[in-house]
Amino acid sequence: MSSGHIAPWEWGLFGVVVVSMIFIDLLAHRTKRGETKKAAYAWSIAWILVGLAFGFFVWLRHGSNTAQEYLGAYLIEKSLSLDNLFVFLVIFASLSVPENKQRRVLFWGIFGALVFRGLFIFLGLEAIERWNWVVYIFGAILLVAAWRVARRHPSEESDNKVVDWLEKRLPVTSEYEGKQFFKHVDGRWQATPLLIALIAIELSDVAFAIDSVPAALSVSHNLFVIYTSNVFAILGLRALYIALAKTVHELRYLHWGLAAVLAFAGLKMVLSEWVHVAPLVSVAIIVTCIGISVGLSVRARKRDALRKVVPREEQPRGGRQEEVHA
């Protein structure tokens, strides 16, 4: 397994940075009040800056090529994690989880994801080192995932199969006990909707990792690079969800950008024996795919808003006029 001659103190520094940021996050949100959208944006930016700053450290220690691999893996994970936001929305909506109780579920869900993601990355790198043909399997998985993501926008999902399965098999109460995961009802303990939401998020992330980890491995085979970039991308998910929960569904073309990123990563793995794509080129392609999909989504949203407020007789002439719905 490639480790790029990483010194033990570098892993230690990474651990100190992560634990410090988590502690500061917990300290900042120790009150029972819900997090404002403005604060969520601020925390999202803070997590991004910390992730990029660590990438700068990688550049100082291991050179530009390794830093480019870190940035590429970070951007892939950050981009694909947007798909997770839709899953969170569906899970919380199907369980009617109030906004002021969602942060606790997201925190523990994302914390658990760090453990599972580390296991997936380690096993993936071990498999590639032992059996070179595994890269073709990973590539095929990514191409199938790209086709699946392109077929349907995630916001069209109205329920979550994992939630339905859990509710049928676990003793669940519809009542809450503050922000606790269990409630004592009629002499026995029952799971609150928060526990169902937490388990559903953890299981969903395991399924999500099957796509995102091979995508990151298409950029680098360095354990330190892949894991640290994944961790910094994932840790900002809670704040990102709170910031974008009410608007992410309006990015109607985002799934095409995500599908393009997955397809690129899949082709890169399948063709890796014959075609070499520089890390910086990978970064440019990822940014372009997501940037175009988001740009087109914002443009479409503004166009729809304009059609609602501009009367038909005031619309430009000379072309086909579309009916404006109030």
Side-chain angles (χ1 to χ4, degrees), residues 223-239:
L223 175 61
F224 183 76
V225 166
I226 298 298
Y227 186 64
T228 56
S229 60
N230 263 248
V231 167
F232 284 118
I234 292 172
L235 283 175
L237 261 184
R238 178 201 55 77

Side-chain angles (χ1 to χ4, degrees), residues 226-256:
I226 298 298
Y227 186 64
T228 56
S229 60
N230 263 248
V231 167
F232 284 118
I234 292 172
L235 283 175
L237 261 184
R238 178 201 55 77
L240 190 63
Y241 169 79
I242 295 174
L244 300 179
K246 292 182 173 62
T247 57
V248 69
H249 66 280
E250 297 176 354
L251 300 177
R252 67 182 69 174
Y253 301 122
L254 177 62
H255 67 298
W256 288 107

Side-chain angles (χ1 to χ4, degrees), residues 67-97:
Q68 290 169 25
E69 290 181 356
Y70 172 91
L71 182 59
Y74 175 84
L75 289 176
I76 280 185
E77 181 59 40
K78 200 68 175 178
S79 301
L80 297 182
S81 66
L82 293 174
D83 214 19
N84 266 6
L85 302 187
F86 294 102
V87 176
F88 296 164
L89 279 170
V90 173
I91 290 175
F92 289 140
S94 61
L95 291 168
S96 300
V97 179

Side-chain angles (χ1 to χ4, degrees), residues 78-281:
K78 200 68 175 178
S79 301
L80 297 182
S81 66
L82 293 174
D83 214 19
N84 266 6
L85 302 187
F86 294 102
V87 176
F88 296 164
L89 279 170
V90 173
I91 290 175
F92 289 140
S94 61
L95 291 168
S96 300
V97 179
E99 290 186 13
N100 64 341
K101 300 181 187 297
Q102 293 176 6
R103 195 189 71 82
R104 177 176 171 82
V105 176
L106 288 172
F107 174 81
W108 288 109
I110 292 171
F111 185 78
L114 301 182
V115 178
F116 289 117
R117 200 58 60 89
L119 179 62
F120 270 72
I121 292 171
F122 178 81
L123 294 177
L125 287 172
E126 281 290 322
I128 290 176
E129 183 171 322
R130 290 173 179 268
W131 308 289
N132 188 55
W133 49 265
V134 170
V135 296
Y136 301 114
I137 295 179
F138 285 166
I141 290 174
L142 291 172
L143 292 175
V144 171
W147 175 77
R148 186 182 68 248
V149 171
R151 283 181 61 198
R152 189 174 186 180
H153 195 283
S155 64
E156 296 176 11
E157 300 290 340
S158 59
D159 56 7
N160 186 276
K161 295 180 179 179
V162 177
V163 170
D164 295 338
W165 187 88
L166 290 171
E167 287 185 314
K168 293 177 182 178
R169 288 162 176 79
L170 293 178
V172 183
T173 177
S174 59
E175 301 176 357
Y176 290 93
E177 184 68 26
K179 294 184 179 181
Q180 302 304 311
F181 294 116
F182 295 94
K183 180 179 176 65
H184 201 253
V185 180
D186 298 329
R188 64 170 184 161
W189 290 100
Q190 291 187 337
T192 68
L194 295 185
L195 180 64
I196 301 301
L198 176 60
I199 297 175
I201 285 176
E202 293 289 8
L203 293 178
S204 298
D205 184 76
V206 170
F208 176 76
I210 295 175
D211 299 337
S212 65
V213 169
L217 294 178
S218 70
V219 177
S220 175
H221 291 172
N222 186 309
L223 175 61
F224 183 76
V225 166
I226 298 298
Y227 186 64
T228 56
S229 60
N230 263 248
V231 167
F232 284 118
I234 292 172
L235 283 175
L237 261 184
R238 178 201 55 77
L240 190 63
Y241 169 79
I242 295 174
L244 300 179
K246 292 182 173 62
T247 57
V248 69
H249 66 280
E250 297 176 354
L251 300 177
R252 67 182 69 174
Y253 301 122
L254 177 62
H255 67 298
W256 288 107
L258 299 178
V261 171
L262 287 168
F264 164 70
L267 290 173
K268 189 171 183 290
M269 296 199 83
V270 171
L271 301 176
S272 59
E273 187 175 346
W274 304 279
V275 180
H276 173 71
V277 181
L280 194 59
V281 175

